[in-house]
Amino acid sequence: MTAKRGFSWALLFIAGLSTTLPAQTVEQPVATATEAVLDTSHGLLWRIESAGGTSSHLFGTIHVAEPAVLQLPSPVRAVFDAADLLVVEVVLEPGDYLKIARRMKLTGGQTLPGLIGESLYSRVLHAAHSRDISQPLRRLRPWAVATLLVTPRSISAMVLDQQLERDAVMMGKPVMALESVDEQLAVFENMSIDDQVDLLHEAVLATLEFEVYYGELLVAYLNRDLARLVHLSRLHLAQRTRLKQTLQVRLVDQRNQRMIERLSPILRQGGAFIAVGALHLPGEAGLLQRLNDQGYRVVREY
């Protein structure tokens, strides 16, 4: 398993989650900018209309390689094919893989057991064995090991976001990123050592029921049930209140604000297909409500 795969899944596992389920293609206006609160409990594809008359689409993804996820449903595929531009969370260049792998490693002679203690390190090794992780862990940072422990086994294949990027390039569509690799790495790198160790504790515990949780996530996603995804995230994200709050702020809230700021010129131009993790969409601090508050007309299409 590559460092990039583990890192990419970890961001989604907490902060972002295409479906093949058949559905009616009748548009369902959820709210307009005159309404205070949007119903964002259900739906993965949303049309965003600007005051200037341009429109784009916002699509919630899940960063996995499951066949049921990779086969886009016809309403989503039609919108994607018609778009002029693809916008994703991050675009990884060949040189980024080495950068990520390098920054996952401890420096200055530090070791993982030296940071977290032999007792927790023994539990980490046991959890890694149960997840079929053969990558050496001794010189990796706590947050990096945590990401590997919560990476689905199927992640070795191309995930949904990467498939969209590949398809866009093959169709001659430009691809833009809302975040840089450095910004996504900083989400973890700027966590205190104590928070990183707590995150690793949580990841070890998560391996005990990971397949069950992963299955629940997929079912909720394929049902386009954003409310259920939020519930599962809050239930399994972390047990420690302080860590849960830290992750919510770092992985969702702060990144949502950054995405909103960078989406503004894109939405004014229109014609974009914007694909980000599904958990960035719902809630009071989610992208949909924020766009509604800024005067955009937000309409659920699928």
Side-chain angles (χ1 to χ4, degrees), residues 47-267:
R47 187 171 73 250
I48 313 299
E49 300 177 355
S50 72
T54 60
S55 67
S56 294
H57 285 81
L58 178 59
F59 176 57
T61 68
I62 179 168
H63 309 338
V64 299
E66 301 293 342
V69 168
L70 297 179
Q71 181 64 44
L72 290 179
S74 56
V76 179
R77 171 55 67 178
V79 170
F80 175 81
D81 289 348
D84 300 320
L85 166 72
L86 173 65
V87 180
V88 293
E89 291 182 24
V90 66
V91 174
L92 291 168
E93 304 295 341
D96 291 330
Y97 305 155
L98 182 59
K99 175 193 292 187
I100 294 171
R102 183 176 65 249
R103 287 166 64 171
M104 291 175 78
K105 293 181 180 180
L106 290 164
T107 59
Q110 290 182 310
T111 65
L112 186 60
L115 277 179
I116 68 176
E118 292 292 346
S119 177
L120 176 56
Y121 184 62
S122 177
R123 293 169 56 206
V124 166
L125 292 179
H126 179 75
H129 178 73
S130 71
R131 302 282 298 123
D132 296 329
I133 297 172
S134 58
Q135 180 172 335
L137 306 179
R138 187 176 182 84
R139 297 298 304 277
L140 295 184
R141 298 181 185 277
W143 68 261
V145 178
T147 68
L148 294 177
L149 291 180
V150 295
T151 302
R153 291 182 175 89
S154 63
I155 210 69
S156 59
M158 183 178 293
V159 302
L160 175 57
D161 306 69
Q162 294 170 319
Q163 177 176 280
L164 291 172
E165 183 180 342
R166 180 205 64 186
D167 291 352
V169 171
M170 292 178 63
M171 298 171 70
K173 301 180 190 290
V175 180
M176 291 181 58
L178 292 174
E179 298 177 300
S180 68
V181 172
D182 287 336
E183 287 170 332
Q184 289 203 342
L185 285 170
V187 169
F188 292 105
E189 290 178 330
N190 292 340
M191 293 175 66
S192 68
I193 291 298
D194 287 344
D195 280 345
Q196 289 188 44
V197 174
D198 285 348
L199 180 65
L200 185 53
H201 269 288
E202 298 286 355
V204 169
L205 293 175
T207 62
L208 300 176
E209 54 182 16
F210 181 79
E211 298 304 329
V212 173
Y213 175 43
Y214 180 52
E216 291 176 335
L217 283 179
L218 287 177
V219 170
Y221 182 79
L222 293 173
N223 287 333
R224 290 165 277 145
D225 191 343
L226 294 180
R228 177 63 175 166
L229 288 176
V230 171
H231 173 74
L232 290 170
S233 171
R234 291 173 177 171
L235 186 64
H236 295 279
L237 178 58
Q239 301 304 312
R240 295 168 174 83
T241 301
R242 179 176 60 83
L243 178 61
K244 184 176 294 190
Q245 293 173 342
T246 297
L247 292 175
Q248 175 66 32
V249 170
R250 287 186 174 277
L251 286 167
V252 183
D253 297 344
Q254 291 180 350
R255 296 178 64 219
N256 281 355
Q257 180 59 38
R258 181 160 60 216
M259 289 180 185
I260 284 291
E261 293 170 357
R262 295 174 182 177
L263 279 173
S264 293
I266 297 170
L267 294 173

Side-chain angles (χ1 to χ4, degrees), residues 273-289:
F273 185 95
I274 304 154
V276 299
L279 279 178
H280 289 288
L281 272 57
E284 294 182 4
L287 296 182
L288 294 170
Q289 184 64 52

